[in-house]
Amino acid sequence: MTIQRMDNVLIVVDDLDAVVAFFVELGMELEGRSPVEGRWVERIIALDDVRQDVAMLRTPDGHGRIELAKFHTPKAVTGAPPDAPTNTLGIRRIMFAVDDIDGAVARLRAHGAELVGEIAQYENIYRLCYVRGPEGIVVGLAEQLG
């Protein structure tokens, strides 16, 4: 048995509208948004009385997806601090290829994003940076050169 593809990454958020707007500004497309509840989801995630809103976004090429979930019940639990450093255990960032890193950073700043460090160049291959967006979500941006 082998995997067919990576389907999506789940990010639990508090302000679903702000995080959706952030990823849409980055260039993702909102596939849909709906409430999710019932015994079937409770059985999958091992929580009782689940009531959540979910938004699914996809990359323009259609291959990558991010699922955003806002839990109404039970309330979401805070893990690492929202400004956790890059060496904190767990998933620290999602990386996206962009065609204009400066433009992407400028657009995301309008949604409250801040550079984690700075935009740096790796040899003559990439310009790279990390951006901390709403709710401390860290997104890596990579612009291929040449």
Side-chain angles (χ1 to χ4, degrees), residues 59-111:
T59 56
D61 67 1
H63 295 293
R65 287 182 173 72
I66 293 177
E67 179 179 347
L68 303 174
K70 157 80 174 156
F71 278 82
H72 301 287
T73 61
K75 290 290 184 191
V77 177
T78 303
D83 59 349
T86 306
N87 65 340
T88 302
L89 294 174
I91 297 174
R92 299 295 1 125
R93 60 120 175 106
I94 302 169
M95 179 71 79
F96 293 98
V98 297
D99 58 6
D100 175 13
I101 199 166
D102 297 307
V105 169
R107 287 192 325 274
L108 295 176
R109 280 189 168 146
H111 291 269

Side-chain angles (χ1 to χ4, degrees), residues 39-51:
R39 186 69 189 132
W40 71 273
V41 73
E42 293 169 358
R43 291 174 53 209
I44 294 169
I45 65 175
L47 293 172
D48 293 324
D49 192 31
V50 171
R51 194 170 58 81

